[in-house]
Amino acid sequence: MLCFKNIIKNYPSRSGNELAVALDDVSFEVKEKEFVSIVGKSGAGKTTLLRLAIAQESPTTGQVFFQGRDVHKIKKSQIPKLRQRIGVVFQDYKLFASKNTFENVAYIMEITGAEDKEIKRDVPQILNIVGLSSRERNFPNELSGGEKQRLAIARALIHRPEIILADEPTGNLDPYNTFGIIRLLVKIYESGTTVVLATHDREVINTLGKRVITLDGGKVVRDEERGRFVL
Amino acid sequence: MFISLKRVIKAGWKNFVHNIGLNSAAIFITAMVISLISFLFILAAASQILISNVQEKIDVSVYFKEDVSSENILQAKSEISGLPEVKNVSYVSKEQALEDFVQKHKDDPVLMESLTEIGYNPFLSYLNIEAEQAQNYEQIAYYLKNGEFEDLIDSVDYNQRKEVIDKVFSITSVINKIGIIFSIVLGSVAVLVIFNTIKIAIAGSGEEISTMRLVGASNWFAKGPFLIQGLIVGIGAFILAFIVILSVCWSIDIKMQSIIPSVGAFNLLVSNIWLVLLIQFLTGVCLSSASAVIAIGKYLKV
């Protein structure tokens, strides 16, 4: 479903003279209806991988395929269509500050061309699933960290994407909220959606018991079917 | 397509309301430009009517020398009548001219006294010539001054009226030139104000715009609301300018009619209403959408 092939990603260093290697010959494939965790220390290249998957960045060399198509060869005008097929939960939530909870989720349906009646039907349902029914009219700055994260997940889910990419979704949360979010992602996976979870949370990974890809220094150092957090 | 257009319009309206202060300033300045352009248009129409009124009233009077006999004048009359440019020629004898003068000024004792003082009929016989078209007068006058009757003619009274026409032309052309310069200056200010309004709106939602792109919003969804915001400014300015021009024309109508009876500002506006509306709408929409497109192109990189 999502395949990274010999990905090398370099960034110019701050001095500008040298190149910082973010990903070094990374190759792996995420199969349909799989739950894959990508683990590694901060700066290991987890976020870069997810950015490459949605064509937010281009690899220095290598290819990223989504459903058999090289995402970096897709025409610029077609990139929105690609992104509509992928649900992304961003590390910093990236919620729309000027829209309330309902509108944040509804916006995704609006850009995919859903009818108003579908929006009115589906948004309350998804907000109920993530436990935000009572916060429909609140704006992001009125929500707690856990609520923001659940809203970000609701927004990533609402249009029933083929895959969910969650980048450190528990990074800013306390243990109680962390496991609430993980339970939600597992529920999404169990309903048949592919989930890619990027995290550096040892406890989360060790309780999941699913496939774990470990990145270290931009390289894949481990890829285990029922992995644990080993670094 | 319709549903996405509806959503983009809604988002554009939200942008507009969110920044109502700046957008109102943009509407105000654009309305000034539109009003000015509309006034220029109405002025052009009014001066056209005024000029054609003056032209209609023009005739050429050919005054014959004292010693020219009425036979010679009548012969000249029949020849001039034969000219294709001439519509009508009437002969006014010395006696008739005196009688007309007395009739006209019988209540003016000073003039009447002066006439008695002179002791003779000071008027000359003349032919009054009307042309088929206003532009023929100059040709007729030239023919009379340089033709076979040159020696019989004392004077040709045409140039004085020509000056009136020239004056109307020159006044309206000066007003037009000043108006055009003002329109260009104000138009540039309007473009700058709208441009900056959109720029501020884009800057204020820069992060949201990049998120929109990341979650799959198309160019149209990301850029469209700002274009709509610009268009709302243009349409608002168009409505305001129309109200301004309607009230101004209505309020100056009576005053204008008292100066030039045939030219009423309100009537002129009403008789050209569709053209005025079109000019105002196009000016508003063109100015605002051009400014929005420039601002979006420069500051909204998606």
Side-chain angles (χ1 to χ4, degrees):
Chain A
M1 180 181 220
L2 179 63
C3 179
F4 295 88
K5 214 172 166 185
N6 307 113
I7 298 292
I8 294 175
K9 178 68 185 176
N10 298 327
Y11 292 106
S13 66
R14 284 192 185 161
S15 64
N17 301 327
E18 291 169 26
L19 290 174
V21 181
L23 293 169
D24 187 5
D25 198 22
V26 171
S27 295
F28 66 88
E29 187 182 356
V30 177
K31 295 190 183 72
E32 213 136 332
K33 296 183 180 172
E34 201 176 15
F35 193 120
V36 180
S37 301
I38 299 171
V39 301
K41 296 175 198 160
S42 292
K46 304 183 295 288
T47 301
T48 305
L49 268 179
L50 302 189
R51 284 182 172 176
L52 290 171
I54 58 168
Q56 188 182 351
E57 286 188 27
S58 300
T60 308
T61 61
Q63 291 160 300
V64 182
F65 293 94
F66 177 67
Q67 300 290 31
R69 274 189 85 182
D70 186 341
V71 300
H72 297 100
K73 286 199 174 137
I74 293 174
K75 275 189 199 162
K76 213 177 165 191
S77 61
Q78 290 302 309
I79 286 177
K81 289 277 167 215
L82 165 81
R83 291 176 179 167
Q84 285 172 17
R85 295 169 68 190
I86 302 172
V88 185
V89 181
F90 298 96
Q91 194 171 2
D92 54 353
Y93 317 126
K94 292 202 187 301
L95 299 171
F96 300 117
S98 64
K99 297 184 196 292
N100 64 28
T101 299
F102 184 96
E103 290 165 341
N104 258 281
V105 180
Y107 184 77
I108 306 299
M109 292 189 81
E110 286 178 0
I111 60 172
T112 53
E115 298 283 334
D116 287 347
K117 60 179 181 196
E118 290 177 78
I119 294 174
K120 279 184 188 143
R121 184 194 62 207
D122 291 359
V123 175
Q125 276 178 12
I126 200 85
L127 289 178
N128 188 36
I129 291 170
V130 299
L132 287 177
S133 292
S134 59
R135 310 292 261 158
E136 244 186 36
R137 300 290 150 205
N138 288 98
F139 286 85
N141 64 353
E142 297 164 341
L143 303 177
S144 70
E147 286 172 329
K148 281 181 192 167
Q149 197 58 273
R150 278 183 277 149
L151 174 55
I153 292 174
R155 197 181 63 177
L157 267 184
I158 187 70
H159 55 307
R160 296 179 188 88
E162 294 161 51
I163 186 168
I164 296 267
L165 307 178
D167 186 12
E168 301 279 10
T170 59
N172 308 314
L173 304 180
D174 56 48
Y176 175 77
N177 276 307
T178 296
F179 281 96
I181 295 297
I182 295 302
R183 270 196 301 275
L184 197 57
L185 288 173
V186 171
K187 217 154 106 183
I188 294 162
Y189 156 71
E190 284 169 352
S191 70
T193 307
T194 310
V195 176
V196 176
L197 166 68
T199 184
H200 59 245
D201 191 320
R202 178 186 299 269
E203 221 173 316
V204 165
I205 297 302
N206 291 345
T207 51
L208 273 171
K210 305 220 182 286
R211 183 180 169 197
V212 177
I213 295 170
T214 309
L215 287 177
D216 192 12
K219 281 179 180 292
V220 174
V221 293
R222 207 169 285 112
D223 186 348
E224 296 166 314
E225 272 310 309
R226 292 180 69 82
R228 291 181 64 80
F229 192 101
V230 183
L231 263 175
Chain B
M1 185 61 204
F2 176 73
I3 201 158
S4 102
L5 179 66
K6 191 184 93 181
R7 282 168 185 162
V8 167
I9 291 173
K10 201 174 149 192
W13 175 252
K14 272 193 169 182
N15 280 355
F16 176 81
V17 174
H18 190 69
N19 233 333
I20 191 79
L22 264 174
N23 283 313
S24 304
I27 286 184
F28 185 73
I29 190 87
T30 314
M32 278 172 71
V33 182
I34 301 173
S35 306
L36 195 60
I37 290 172
S38 313
F39 279 122
L40 287 182
F41 171 78
I42 289 178
L43 179 75
S47 66
Q48 203 56 47
I49 293 176
L50 191 63
I51 287 165
S52 67
N53 279 357
V54 173
Q55 282 176 334
E56 269 169 28
K57 282 175 187 155
I58 300 171
D59 49 23
V60 179
S61 298
V62 190
Y63 293 91
F64 291 87
K65 286 177 181 163
E66 188 80 49
D67 53 349
V68 178
S69 68
S70 58
E71 287 76 27
N72 283 342
I73 296 173
L74 287 170
Q75 193 194 338
K77 181 192 171 207
S78 73
E79 286 206 22
I80 292 164
S81 303
L83 292 172
E85 298 90 353
V86 173
K87 189 175 162 188
N88 188 37
V89 184
S90 54
Y91 169 54
V92 179
S93 65
K94 280 172 69 112
E95 296 71 29
Q96 184 65 44
L98 176 64
E99 206 181 313
D100 291 347
F101 183 85
V102 171
Q103 274 299 318
K104 200 173 172 185
H105 303 286
K106 61 184 175 198
D107 300 327
D108 187 338
V110 180
L111 278 178
M112 289 298 108
E113 211 170 294
S114 315
L115 202 59
T116 324
E117 200 108 315
I118 294 169
Y120 68 95
N121 180 357
F123 295 96
L124 297 172
S125 304
Y126 66 94
L127 290 177
N128 197 280
I129 304 164
E130 283 174 51
E132 288 285 352
Q133 286 175 332
Q135 57 263 45
N136 296 143
Y137 285 110
E138 204 150 0
Q139 271 171 280
I140 296 168
Y142 181 82
Y143 170 78
L144 294 169
K145 281 178 189 166
N146 301 287
E148 54 181 308
F149 310 113
E150 192 189 348
D151 297 335
L152 310 179
I153 292 169
D154 180 82
S155 63
V156 176
D157 182 11
Y158 163 73
N159 288 330
Q160 283 174 2
R161 280 151 183 162
K162 187 176 179 290
E163 275 167 20
V164 176
I165 295 174
D166 288 345
K167 207 164 219 168
V168 174
F169 265 125
S170 80
I171 290 169
T172 51
S173 107
V174 167
I175 294 174
N176 265 329
K177 273 178 197 157
I178 294 170
I180 288 166
I181 292 167
F182 262 101
S183 301
I184 291 169
V185 172
L186 272 178
S188 313
V189 174
V191 166
L192 275 175
V193 172
I194 301 170
F195 174 86
N196 279 301
T197 309
I198 306 277
K199 178 185 156 185
I200 288 166
I202 291 170
S205 36
E207 208 175 314
E208 289 203 3
I209 293 162
S210 68
T211 304
M212 286 172 187
R213 299 290 291 146
L214 289 178
V215 297
S218 61
N219 262 348
W220 164 240
F221 250 96
K223 290 179 174 180
F226 296 101
L227 183 64
I228 297 294
Q229 181 187 350
L231 284 177
I232 294 172
V233 168
I235 291 168
F238 153 66
I239 295 168
L240 180 62
F242 185 68
I243 294 169
V244 167
I245 199 132
L246 205 63
S247 0
V248 171
C249 284
W250 185 76
S251 60
I252 64 165
D253 192 61
I254 296 168
K255 209 166 244 183
M256 201 164 158
Q257 288 216 43
S258 67
I259 303 165
I260 320 157
S262 54
V263 188
F266 193 72
N267 282 344
L268 260 177
L269 178 67
V270 170
S271 57
N272 291 293
I273 193 82
W274 293 113
L275 197 55
V276 172
L277 280 173
L278 186 72
I279 290 171
Q280 293 192 325
F281 183 76
L282 287 181
T283 313
V285 166
C286 289
L287 278 179
S288 60
S289 53
S291 325
V293 165
I294 298 169
I296 290 166
K298 197 166 162 61
Y299 297 104
L300 187 52
K301 304 286 180 211
V302 289

